[in-house]
Structure formats: structure tokens, C-alpha cells
Amino acid sequence: MNDESMSAATDDALIEPKDRISRGVQHEEPLIFERSRPGLRGFELTDEDWDVEPVEPGVELGEQLLRGEPAELPEVTEPEVVRHFTRLSQWNYAIDTGFYPLGSCTMKYNPKVNESTARLPGFAQLHPYLPDRWCQGALELMWRLQSLLSEVAGLPHCSLQPAAGAQGELTGLMCIRAYHDARGDHGRDKIIVPDSAHGTNPASAAFNGFSVIEVASNEDGTLDPQAVAEVMDETVAGLMITNPNTLGIFERDIDEICRIVHDGGGKVYMDGANMNAILGKARPGDFGIDVMHFNVHKTFSTPHGGGGPGGGPICVNDDLEPFLPIPRIEKAGEDSDLEFVRNFDDHPQSVGKVKAFWGNFLVYVRAYTYLREYGSDLPKISERAVVNANYLRARLADRYNVSFPGRCMHEVVFDDQSFKELGVSTMDIAKRLIDYGFHPPTIYFPLNVDGALMVEPTETESLRSLDEFVDTMETIYREAEESPELLERAPQNAFRTRLDETTAARKPVLTYRQLQQKENPRR
Ligand SMILES: *Cc1c(COP(=O)(O)O)cnc(C)c1O
């Protein structure tokens, strides 16, 4: 964009923000219950439809299970139902409708081919109780995915079972605890966690009964080996570290840090949520990590906004292998007619089962598809993710203060230094982005940066969409200087204007009945 067109865009924006993506601003649309008219039907059962012989005598339902009155369902036509649900889907923000620059939680485009494979009936319609011989394809896919993840991690053993990163942390720490216990080393009840860590890290440690020793990061945002050495002793079970860390910086001294923990008898857990930055470039097992999780729904692309389903497989080294969850997927003996089997029995030291059946199997199908699609091009993902983040850092650095100077990895952290004195907060900037059709980045995290604004563009955004984001961030900065009230009141161009976030989180109104009760408490 040349200077002239940029300032034209900026002036327009000062008057009236452009709703670049139609967000379906239909506040006054009657809700589906209000559209209801007695007798309207989208679908009717005829007498013939009713005339079905029961195949077997059904189970007798007790009186108490029978409905006394008809369900209070809206009576509407088929198009009204279709419009209702389609409209609801449009009120959502999604990676398929716009840029989603969350830091830490990789939100990349989810290739549609993943969905096609996950819907293949041979995968989608499997029952988890099928005998091994009837689900060889699924077992083989999981076995292969384990091998691929182990290769990327540089750690030879893998369990797919944990359902998300947080559960991977829990399971990995259970393995560390079991390892120390098995050696009769019972005095280790602490875990070291840097202050830049994601909240799930100390939470998982505490959930496992460990107490947490927090260590502060350096001025350059990394962990100082000396700081680890000072707290490492025979009461420490291990260290949890994220690399690259949540400030988007690679922990340069990771090998020395691992050596210090190992020399003190501990194990090192790596939070792999940021693997998008180092795929095929650096392997955690090679730089000293004992156990790590992948967030396959982030790094290997599965739709996961709104809470799941996810996958948090863990990979471990030989020391921790005996403790991995069961069942394991194993190759049957050479002369067996079955190739893959589920083994529950031969792992007496296992921490047991952490998830029903196999975890979220269809997430594995998507992750496997994604990995096979890239194949040996996997490192390109990380190259582009890192270039994109550095492009945003370089282009925004004039206006927004970059918290840790120098090159970043896949994400970049800004803070509120440059705009605080204008009376504008990080929250205001984030809310104003909504007016321009962008999902806000992660804000006020990491906790060790004041007014943090953390951006991870991922490799899937084009130069054009990055430029649009930069232009908008520049426009918002000018607004902050010239008419900060626009930011204070933002968003105004969205389905909902600024919420009371505490009430929204603590007392959410999630059903039509709740809404009615709120508006008419006597009902
Ligand atoms: C997302 C994330 C987690 C938690 O992973 P879930 O899959 O959401 O449970 C942990 N650590 C970091 C750094 C993350 O970004």
C-alpha cells in the first residue's frame, strides 16, 4: 500500500470503521422460540411412518421416565430452522472467516483434506470395542502417527492417549513421579517452572501433588541456567520448560539447563505447544528433554476453538518408557497373522489409563493426514511461521513496543509502553481490532510482561493478510493519538459491544430459558 492510499484508508476508518467481514449484525432478529407459531411444521410424520413393527420387544420404560407433557419445542418451518442455525454459526468468529492472531495457542488454517479423511466411514464409524482384527487400519494409523511424532520429538516412545496439552502435562509428570518412585527416590516433591510458563504448567504440577518453584526469566526473556542451578536439589523431581518459550524466544541455554537438572537427579518436561517454530529444525530429545507433549490440535491442525476435541500425545525417552499409559499399540510377533495389537498386560509399571478408549481418535486421523501431506517439507512450516512473526515485529515496531528486542521465533510480544501514556490500554486496542474484523491477539499474557499483546500469525497467513493487519494496527494507533474515545467504546461494530467480562465469565446466559428468566424474573 502506498502512503496516499494508506492515509485515505485511515481517514475513512476514523469516521466509520469498515466491517470487513459481515458479522451478521441482526440483533433484533426474533429468536427461534419467538418465531414459533402453533401448528407450523418443518417435517411431518405420516401414519405410515408410525406403522413400524418393533424389531424386538422394547425395554419397558417406567412411568417416571415417560414425558407427561409434550416438550416445549418451537414450532417453525424448515427454512426458519436452517436460518437460525446458519445465523448462529455466523455470529462466531472462525479461522475460516478471518485472521486469528492468538499468541501461544497456534491457530492455523485447518486444511479441508483433514476433514475428508476423518470422515471416511472406516475411521468415523469404528466402535472402540471392535476386536483388533477388525480395526487394523486404525491401529496402524495410530502406530504410524506415534512413529512420526517420535521422529519429530527425537524421543523414541509415544503415547497418543492424553486428550489435550494440559492432560499431556499431567501424564508426563505422572511418568516422572513413577520413575523416581520406582528407584526408591521418594523425597522429590517439587517442580521448577519459569515465570513465563503457561498457566497449565504450574497447575499440572500442583494437580500431581508437587509444589512449584517459580524462577524468574532474564532481562532477555530466557531462563538463566544459574537460576536453575540455585534451586536444583534432591527434593526437585524435575523442570517444566516451554521451548521456544511463551515470549517467542528460543531458550539458548537449554542443553546446559537440562544438564543441571539431570546432574541433580531430575527430569526435564517440555511443553511442546510451541513446536510450530522448530518442526524438523531442532528435536527436543537432542537438546536434553526427557518427556514432552504435542498439542496436535495446534501444531498439526485440527479445529479447536471453543474447547476441543484435542490431542496431547506425549513422547518420552527410554528411562520413562516403562511408565507410559496402557493400552499400548504394538506390532504382533513376526509369525502372527495380526499385525497390530492392543496390549494392556505387559507393562506393570505403567501409570495406567488416562483417557477412555484411545483418546480422540479422529484428531489423530487429521494429524496424521497433515503430517503425511507435508512429509519431508515439514521444516518449511516453521520457516514460514518464523518469517511471518518477524515481519509483523519489524513492521509494527515503530508504534508498538517490542518487549524483547531482537529476532523472535513464531510469535512476538508487544507491550503497552508506547500507548499507555495516551490513556489507552491493551484491552482497548484488542477491542478495537474486533471493529475491523480481526480476532484480537492474546492479551495480558505472558504474565511477566505488563500490558502484553502477543501475536502469532502462523505460516498460513499470506503477505497480504499480514499487511492488512499491520495497516489496521497503524490505524488504531492513530486513533489512540487523535480520538481515544473510539477505542474506549470499542467494539461498536460487532454483534456485542463491550461486555462486562467478569459477569460474562461468572454468570453466563447460555440458554433461552435463562434469557427469559433474566428479562422476566417472575416467570
Ligand atoms: C495451549 C497451551 C497449553 C495447553 O494446551 P491444551 O491443549 O489447551 O490443554 C499449554 N501450554 C502452552 C504454552 C499452550 O500454548
Side-chain angles (χ1 to χ4, degrees):
M1 217 180 228
N2 63 32
D3 277 1
E4 223 174 64
S5 66
M6 185 137 80
S7 65
T10 309
D11 287 345
D12 262 356
L14 279 173
I15 302 161
E16 189 189 350
K18 289 209 177 25
D19 192 8
R20 295 185 319 120
I21 297 153
S22 166
R23 305 297 309 285
V25 188
Q26 290 133 325
H27 310 232
E28 305 310 328
E29 277 286 323
L31 295 161
I32 193 144
F33 283 94
E34 290 154 4
R35 288 183 170 277
S36 180
R37 294 285 174 273
L40 285 186
R41 289 287 180 273
F43 178 76
E44 261 178 287
L45 294 170
T46 65
D47 285 347
E48 259 167 51
D49 294 317
W50 289 113
D51 192 16
V52 183
E53 287 289 324
V55 184
E56 279 173 45
V59 183
E60 282 294 322
L61 282 180
E63 268 306 306
Q64 76 280 11
L65 292 178
L66 293 176
R67 196 187 278 288
E69 288 167 31
E72 270 183 72
L73 294 175
E75 297 179 73
V76 285
T77 63
E78 180 173 322
E80 282 174 322
V81 174
V82 170
R83 286 176 194 151
H84 171 73
F85 284 107
T86 306
R87 187 179 306 118
L88 286 186
S89 77
Q90 289 172 337
W91 287 346
N92 253 338
Y93 195 93
I95 192 77
D96 284 353
T97 52
F99 182 31
Y100 213 125
L102 283 194
S104 183
C105 289
T106 302
M107 292 295 277
K108 58 170 81 175
Y109 174 74
N110 305 294
K112 298 304 168 237
V113 64
N114 296 355
E115 301 309 309
S116 325
T117 52
R119 275 175 181 67
L120 290 173
F123 291 134
Q125 292 173 16
L126 282 182
H127 193 283
Y129 280 140
L130 282 181
D132 291 343
R133 69 171 69 235
W134 289 357
C135 52
Q136 283 296 299
L139 294 179
E140 181 171 350
L141 182 137
M142 290 194 280
W143 192 84
R144 287 186 184 207
L145 178 59
Q146 289 180 177
S147 313
L148 289 173
L149 295 176
S150 284
E151 179 65 31
V152 175
L155 292 163
H157 313 283
C158 177
S159 169
L160 299 176
Q161 224 176 85
Q167 204 188 12
E169 293 168 23
L170 187 74
T171 312
L173 290 177
M174 285 162 76
C175 293
I176 292 180
R177 176 185 283 285
Y179 164 83
H180 291 307
D181 281 349
R183 301 166 74 231
D185 190 352
H186 299 299
R188 296 183 184 265
D189 57 2
K190 302 192 184 97
I191 294 281
I192 306 171
V193 182
D195 61 354
S196 61
H198 192 276
T200 51
N201 290 192
S204 301
F207 209 76
N208 250 304
F210 292 112
S211 56
V212 175
I213 308 175
E214 185 179 288
V215 284
S217 315
N218 266 341
E219 268 171 22
D220 67 0
T222 59
L223 191 57
D224 182 356
Q226 196 47 42
V228 176
E230 274 163 27
V231 291
M232 187 65 216
D233 62 22
E234 71 291 341
T235 65
V236 171
L239 163 81
M240 291 183 93
I241 191 165
T242 311
N243 199 17
N245 64 27
T246 54
L247 304 166
I249 303 169
F250 192 83
E251 297 282 357
R252 274 188 317 280
D253 298 317
I254 186 68
D255 52 349
E256 196 186 337
I257 291 169
C258 290
R259 201 172 56 243
I260 291 166
V261 175
H262 291 154
D263 286 350
K267 293 285 175 199
V268 183
Y269 184 97
M270 190 179 109
D271 176 334
N274 292 341
M275 281 302 285
N276 215 42
I278 58 170
L279 293 173
K281 293 285 180 184
R283 303 197 312 164
D286 297 343
F287 55 67
I289 301 301
D290 300 287
V291 43
M292 67 169 288
H293 76 255
F294 285 93
N295 304 65
V296 295
H297 45 288
K298 296 180 184 174
T299 313
F300 304 126
S301 79
T302 286
H304 65 282
I314 58 171
C315 291
V316 303
N317 62 12
D318 291 339
D319 282 356
L320 297 177
E321 184 277 336
F323 311 103
L324 280 180
I326 47 165
R328 308 276 181 87
I329 299 157
E330 285 161 11
K331 271 204 158 173
E334 305 259 305
D335 47 355
S336 162
D337 60 335
L338 294 179
E339 224 193 338
F340 296 94
V341 291
R342 287 173 274 197
N343 187 330
F344 286 84
D345 301 327
D346 302 332
H347 302 282
Q349 290 183 296
S350 164
V351 298
K353 219 165 173 349
V354 298
K355 182 80 180 80
F357 303 114
W358 294 94
N360 290 320
F361 173 67
L362 294 177
V363 171
Y364 311 151
V365 177
R366 292 179 176 94
Y368 180 75
T369 307
Y370 186 82
L371 276 160
R372 291 306 303 265
E373 241 196 306
Y374 276 92
S376 57
D377 279 343
L378 206 62
K380 284 199 183 139
I381 295 177
S382 295
E383 286 162 19
R384 287 175 189 163
V386 171
V387 166
N388 277 1
N390 279 286
Y391 181 76
L392 290 185
R393 178 184 58 78
R395 286 215 50 204
L396 288 170
D398 287 350
R399 304 242 158 59
Y400 294 89
N401 186 55
V402 178
S403 303
F404 299 95
R407 250 177 256 157
C408 59
M409 297 292 287
H410 62 305
E411 60 194 358
V412 52
V413 182
F414 303 95
D415 56 47
D416 58 7
Q417 255 183 52
S418 65
F419 51 81
K420 203 158 130 190
E421 62 200 33
L422 304 171
V424 166
S425 70
T426 299
M427 177 70 86
D428 297 335
I429 307 265
K431 295 293 184 191
R432 188 60 172 161
L433 273 167
I434 297 173
D435 275 337
Y436 290 98
F438 289 101
H439 194 286
T442 298
I443 55 173
Y444 302 111
F445 178 84
L447 302 176
N448 54 339
V449 174
D450 286 333
L453 199 151
M454 180 163 62
V455 179
E456 178 184 359
T458 79
E459 73 284 2
T460 51
E461 293 306 321
S462 65
L463 185 57
R464 188 194 175 102
S465 54
L466 296 182
D467 282 338
E468 282 173 355
F469 181 70
V470 169
D471 291 346
T472 303
M473 287 294 282
E474 287 177 345
T475 300
I476 292 176
Y477 199 86
R478 266 190 57 189
E479 291 176 344
E481 292 173 318
E482 293 169 18
S483 32
E485 69 285 355
L486 282 177
L487 276 66
E488 266 160 46
R489 282 183 281 123
Q492 300 184 65
N493 195 22
F495 176 61
R496 285 277 180 265
T497 51
R498 196 171 300 197
L499 296 175
D500 169 351
E501 307 225 341
T502 312
T503 311
R506 298 266 160 83
K507 296 183 188 159
V509 177
L510 300 175
T511 65
Y512 184 69
R513 190 161 292 159
Q514 281 177 315
L515 183 70
Q516 278 180 312
Q517 270 159 6
K518 192 166 155 265
E519 284 170 0
N520 189 357
R522 270 166 307 146
R523 248 188 81 118

